[in-house]
Amino acid sequence: MPPRRRQQFTQDNIDQQLQQIHLLDPSSSSENLEQLGPIIKQIHTNRQQDAYLRTVLGLIDSKDAEIEKICSDNYQDFISSVSTLFTVKSYTDKMKENISSLDASVAQLGGSLVEKKRALLQSRKTAANLDEAIDTLQACLRVLDVVDRVGEMIKAGKYWSALRSLEDIQSMPPTSLSQTPFFQHLLSSLPSLRGQIKGAVTASMKQWLLEIRNISTESRTKRWRSRREKDPLLRVNRVGSAVELVTYEKIDELRKSYQADRKAQSDLILPTPLPLASIASLTQEISGFFIVESHLWDALVTRLATAIEDALRKETNPEVFLKVKESLLSFIMTLETYSYTTTSLQSFIVVLFEKYAKLLETQFTKRFETIVREDEITPMKVDSELGIDGILEVVWISDNERNELKQTPVTYPLPWSQTFFLCCQDIRIFIQRFYAFVEGVSQHHRDIDELLSKSLDSLLTKSISGPIGQRLATTQNPTQIAQIITNLEHLQVTCGELERSLTNLRSTHRGGTIRLTASAALDATISRSCARMSGLINSKLDQCFEFMYLYELVNWLTTVVDSLVIKETYKEEAYKGALAYITECLMDFLTGRDIPIMNENAISNILIDVDFLEDELRRIGRSHLSSVFTELRLTTSIALGGTVQEYLVPANRHASYATVKPKRLQSLLEKLARFGATQRDAASRELGEKRRKEAEAVGRVFPGENR
């Protein structure tokens, strides 16, 4: 630690202390001299310090003078040396900068030369590799060109040249290419190319034989069809039948060749001369030859059928089945020509036919559903392209309607909508495609007829009548429902016409009778349509009953029903349903629970409405429909006429009042009785009491009957 500095006292401090000293204290008997001691000591100390400082300052002044003298003597030399040093330093720094710049330039020039050298060496190496690759690629291209020409030769049918080219590739002289994986892979693929050539040769030969057979079969089919059309006695015989074979003059060269080969093989079995000792073994060889041949043939046919069935298992296109059938049928005709049995193949064709018919049915089901869904349910107009004759050639209708339509002006709408026409058109297409599979099949005609009947029934019932019923449920227009009924009636006629035309067609092929049961389903849909139309009319009547006068309501009803393009029978049903609904509303007013009390005037007003309705029915020529009001008139006549006792007699009731329901009569009498009980005059109250008792009598006689 540095030495503690002594406290310095200034003159002002000493003077201040002196002023504070009181030498003579008035309260004291002695002098106050003790206070002067510290002050005198401080003054002495300050004087010593001042002397010391003066001595030190003297020494410092002498040294400063000496230093100043030395500096003044050497100042110029020092300045000159420093200047020289600064000059040397600047030259040194500049030389360092030049050396660094030169070093960088030399390094840059040397690096560029190294990179150029390296790039040159790499370019030479790459060029050498490219030259080698080009040579290799050219050699590969020459080989690939030969292989490509082999493929073109196969396509062009130049099989011998293709084989020679493969031999040239295999016999190429050894080169650098011979050791490459490419060339080894190419050599390993040569057997596959030879197999392609072999397959192409075999396929070409088979195709040639097939074309010969198809041309022969087609020619025979056309010739035989022409002869069948000219001679009715030949219509039941097909190509390949005994009659056709007898009348077929040509001799097939393929058959001659096959027979010659088989004859040569059989001749080899028989040695010449025949040793009698070997007859037993010889006959065994002959039997084995033909038995083995027969077994091989049967096994081959079985495997063929199984393979075809497996291949068609997931097939959904009916046209594929049709093409397979045509191939099999041509195969069968060839076999029958050589007297081979084809029963198993014929049965297999029927199996395929069942699957074909099911796929065909599924395909047409979607088409029929679309037709029904997209129909506008309006009368069809005559198409300018088809004309009336073209349309009549498509649809199945009765002869009378056909003659009438031929005389109808073209501008008139047809009775049916687009649904009926398109359904008939697609049914014809279905039948054509159905019989396209049957063409040439000589067996199982009755099975085919049964299958056709089931398919047509399914289409008419599920695919046409069913969707029409679904469309019916969403139709709100009575006019459209009337059109639906007309379509269904024509479809019923179609069922009968189809049965006749198809039966006539099948009779030429020894087939059975076509029977369709779809009429019952169509009848049910017609009944649903009539009920739907009556329901819509009644719903409209229910909406308008409270807001229309009866006159307006009748006018609306007659306008709607008479405007329907529908048979008179269905109009009658519509009127009956509407009048029954009106009658029920009136009866509910008279006997229902909503109105608890009623007088005779109310009943008279109801009867006036009934009179008006009967007059309107007579006006439109439907007075026979007035029978719908019989119950209402008899019920009110019993209540108003006082003939309740007569009604209670069983004989009279069954003879004259069979339509009157006891509970309704009882309810009406109770309402009249309540009204009489509210009257003030005695006669009215007495009449009310009488009707109350009559109501009780009716209730006692018929306690268990419902209203």
Side-chain angles (χ1 to χ4, degrees):
M1 293 180 57
R4 184 177 180 182
R5 295 181 62 183
R6 293 186 178 184
Q7 185 177 3
Q8 298 293 323
F9 297 95
T10 63
Q11 190 62 38
D12 293 336
N13 294 333
I14 295 172
D15 292 339
Q16 185 177 4
Q17 292 180 6
L18 288 175
Q19 291 177 359
Q20 295 177 353
I21 297 173
H22 300 278
L23 296 178
L24 297 176
D25 188 357
S27 62
S28 178
S29 57
S30 60
E31 297 180 348
N32 194 10
L33 297 177
E34 293 178 358
Q35 296 181 359
L36 293 176
I39 298 174
I40 295 171
K41 187 178 180 178
Q42 292 177 0
I43 295 172
H44 178 74
T45 302
N46 287 343
R47 287 181 176 177
Q48 286 180 349
Q49 291 176 351
D50 290 341
Y52 177 76
L53 289 174
R54 283 196 295 271
T55 303
V56 172
L57 290 175
L59 291 173
I60 291 173
D61 289 340
S62 63
K63 289 295 180 181
D64 288 341
E66 185 179 357
I67 291 170
E68 182 178 0
K69 182 176 184 302
I70 293 171
C71 289
S72 61
D73 293 341
N74 298 297
Y75 178 74
Q76 292 298 329
D77 294 337
F78 177 75
I79 294 299
S80 176
S81 299
V82 170
S83 177
T84 302
L85 287 173
F86 275 112
T87 301
V88 172
K89 184 177 182 301
S90 64
Y91 281 127
T92 303
D93 292 340
K94 186 174 182 181
M95 185 174 293
K96 287 181 180 179
E97 291 177 358
N98 291 335
I99 291 171
S100 298
S101 176
L102 180 62
D103 181 65
S105 299
V106 172
Q108 182 178 6
L109 181 61
S112 177
L113 291 175
V114 171
E115 290 297 328
K116 289 181 180 180
K117 179 64 175 180
R118 185 182 293 110
L120 180 60
L121 293 175
Q122 185 65 30
S123 298
R124 288 178 179 176
K125 183 178 180 180
T126 302
N129 292 336
L130 287 174
D131 291 338
E132 183 180 356
I134 290 172
D135 294 338
T136 304
L137 286 175
Q138 287 178 345
C140 293
L141 287 174
R142 286 192 293 271
V143 176
L144 288 175
D145 183 61
V146 175
V147 175
D148 183 65
R149 286 202 304 271
V150 169
E152 293 179 354
M153 292 175 187
I154 295 174
K155 293 179 181 179
K158 301 177 180 179
Y159 306 118
W160 174 250
S161 300
L163 287 173
R164 288 294 303 273
S165 298
L166 293 181
E167 294 295 334
D168 293 341
I169 295 174
Q170 195 168 10
S171 60
M172 286 178 58
T175 60
S176 59
L177 182 64
S178 303
Q179 305 302 321
T180 61
F182 164 77
F183 190 76
Q184 297 301 322
H185 175 72
L186 186 65
L187 290 179
S188 65
S189 67
L190 293 183
S192 174
L193 290 175
R194 288 193 179 92
Q196 292 182 20
I197 296 173
K198 178 182 178 181
V201 171
T202 304
S204 177
M205 181 62 68
K206 290 181 179 179
Q207 182 66 26
W208 176 71
L209 294 173
L210 180 61
E211 288 177 357
I212 293 176
R213 179 61 190 169
N214 288 341
I215 293 173
S216 175
T217 303
E218 183 178 359
S219 175
R220 289 175 59 186
T221 302
K222 290 181 179 179
R223 186 182 300 106
W224 186 245
R225 186 178 294 125
S226 176
R227 295 192 61 183
R228 284 195 309 178
E229 292 175 355
K230 295 178 181 179
D231 189 353
L233 296 176
L234 300 178
R235 290 183 181 177
V236 296
N237 298 288
R238 63 178 183 84
V239 176
S241 63
V243 177
E244 192 271 339
L245 290 174
V246 170
T247 59
Y248 184 51
E249 299 86 1
K250 285 192 175 182
I251 298 176
D252 196 327
E253 293 295 331
L254 187 62
R255 180 180 181 181
K256 291 175 60 179
S257 175
Y258 177 79
Q259 289 176 341
D261 291 341
R262 303 306 288 162
K263 183 178 182 301
Q265 293 174 4
S266 63
D267 290 342
L268 292 176
I269 300 176
L270 295 175
T272 304
L274 179 64
L276 294 177
S278 61
I279 288 180
S281 60
L282 186 60
T283 54
Q284 291 176 0
E285 291 181 6
I286 296 174
S287 299
F289 175 80
F290 289 101
I291 290 173
V292 169
E293 185 181 63
S294 177
H295 284 302
L296 289 176
W297 169 248
D298 293 339
L300 176 62
V301 171
T302 302
R303 289 200 306 272
L304 175 63
T306 303
I308 293 175
E309 191 170 12
D310 291 340
L312 294 175
R313 193 174 302 280
K314 296 182 179 180
E315 184 59 53
T316 59
N317 186 2
E319 295 299 324
V320 176
F321 281 79
L322 187 60
K323 292 179 180 178
V324 171
K325 168 259 173 183
E326 291 174 351
S327 299
L328 286 177
L329 192 61
S330 178
F331 181 47
I332 288 173
M333 293 172 63
T334 303
L335 297 178
E336 289 178 344
T337 303
Y338 294 101
S339 302
Y340 277 89
T341 177
T342 59
T343 304
S344 59
L345 289 176
Q346 292 279 6
S347 301
F348 179 65
I349 286 182
V350 174
V351 172
L352 293 182
F353 176 58
E354 292 176 355
K355 297 181 179 180
Y356 168 82
K358 187 60 66 176
L359 290 177
L360 203 63
E361 183 180 329
T362 301
Q363 188 180 74
F364 276 82
T365 293
K366 295 179 181 178
R367 295 180 61 173
F368 287 131
E369 290 175 351
T370 303
I371 289 171
V372 174
R373 184 175 59 252
E374 297 179 353
D375 189 18
E376 297 179 357
I377 319 180
T378 56
M380 179 181 174
K381 296 181 180 179
V382 177
D383 192 342
S384 58
E385 296 182 1
L386 290 175
I388 186 64
D389 293 333
I391 294 175
L392 295 180
E393 289 178 357
V394 173
V395 298
W396 284 280
I397 56 177
S398 64
D399 294 337
N400 293 334
E401 186 176 15
R402 188 180 302 274
N403 294 332
E404 291 177 1
L405 291 175
K406 286 183 177 180
Q407 299 174 2
T408 303
V410 179
T411 56
Y412 280 21
L414 296 168
W416 53 78
S417 72
Q418 197 77 14
T419 290
F420 175 68
F421 173 75
L422 293 178
C423 284
C424 288
Q425 189 178 59
D426 277 13
I427 288 174
R428 289 187 181 274
I429 296 174
F430 175 83
I431 293 173
Q432 290 174 359
R433 296 180 63 182
F434 189 95
Y435 279 125
F437 202 104
V438 181
E439 180 67 28
V441 179
S442 60
Q443 301 177 10
H444 308 284
H445 289 297
R446 295 189 181 277
D447 296 338
I448 292 170
D449 294 337
E450 183 180 355
L451 187 59
L452 176 59
S453 300
K454 290 181 179 179
S455 297
L456 289 177
D457 271 332
S458 177
L459 290 176
L460 288 167
T461 303
K462 299 179 181 179
S463 306
I464 298 179
S465 180
I468 289 177
Q470 295 174 1
R471 182 75 184 273
L472 179 69
T474 59
T475 304
Q476 304 292 331
N477 191 339
T479 303
Q480 289 183 326
I481 295 177
Q483 183 64 72
I484 289 175
I485 293 174
T486 301
N487 290 343
L488 291 169
E489 288 179 331
H490 282 85
L491 286 170
Q492 281 186 315
V493 175
T494 297
C495 290
E497 295 296 325
L498 269 174
E499 285 182 350
R500 285 190 290 273
S501 61
L502 292 177
T503 299
N504 293 334
L505 176 64
R506 297 304 297 134
S507 64
T508 61
H509 296 278
R510 295 179 181 176
T513 302
I514 303 296
R515 296 295 184 188
L516 300 179
T517 61
S519 295
L522 295 172
D523 278 335
T525 308
I526 289 176
S527 299
R528 289 175 54 195
S529 302
C530 292
R532 174 67 175 167
M533 184 167 58
S534 297
L536 290 176
I537 293 175
N538 294 344
S539 177
K540 185 66 176 179
L541 290 174
D542 189 39
Q543 295 174 7
C544 303
F545 205 87
E546 298 180 359
F547 304 100
M548 287 186 181
Y549 291 107
L550 194 59
Y551 175 77
E552 295 175 347
L553 195 65
V554 171
N555 281 342
W556 176 85
L557 178 62
T558 55
T559 301
V560 170
V561 176
D562 290 341
S563 64
L564 297 176
V565 183
I566 199 172
K567 281 184 178 181
E568 189 63 27
T569 304
Y570 300 118
K571 289 185 179 181
E572 283 282 305
E573 293 295 328
Y575 270 118
K576 285 181 181 179
L579 291 172
Y581 179 78
I582 294 174
T583 303
E584 192 64 26
C585 291
L586 296 176
M587 286 296 296
D588 186 66
F589 176 79
L590 291 172
T591 63
R593 297 180 180 179
D594 295 338
I595 300 175
I597 187 171
M598 184 177 297
N599 59 18
E600 294 181 357
N601 292 332
I603 297 176
S604 298
N605 290 333
I606 295 295
L607 293 175
I608 291 173
D609 290 340
V610 173
D611 292 338
F612 170 76
L613 290 172
E614 289 181 345
D615 291 339
E616 289 298 310
L617 290 175
R618 282 191 294 270
R619 182 181 62 82
I620 63 176
R622 301 182 186 275
S623 58
H624 57 281
L625 297 178
S626 298
S627 60
V628 72
F629 303 115
T630 301
E631 180 192 0
L632 188 148
R633 286 194 176 278
L634 289 176
T635 303
T636 56
S637 68
I638 294 173
L640 297 179
T643 58
V644 175
Q645 296 302 322
E646 182 181 348
Y647 172 76
L648 294 176
V649 178
N652 296 334
R653 185 170 60 252
H654 293 301
S656 303
Y657 306 105
T659 60
V660 177
K661 295 180 176 61
K663 285 295 182 182
R664 287 186 173 182
L665 176 59
Q666 180 184 1
S667 177
L668 181 58
L669 290 170
E670 289 173 350
K671 292 182 180 183
L672 292 172
R674 293 189 190 101
F675 175 77
T678 61
Q679 301 303 303
R680 294 182 179 180
D681 60 293
S684 298
R685 288 197 300 273
E686 183 179 351
L687 180 60
E689 181 64 18
K690 176 186 176 184
R691 285 172 173 165
R692 185 186 66 79
K693 293 179 179 179
E694 290 175 344
E696 291 179 353
V698 173
R700 285 194 299 271
V701 175
F702 309 100
E705 293 192 15
N706 294 325
R707 188 170 304 172

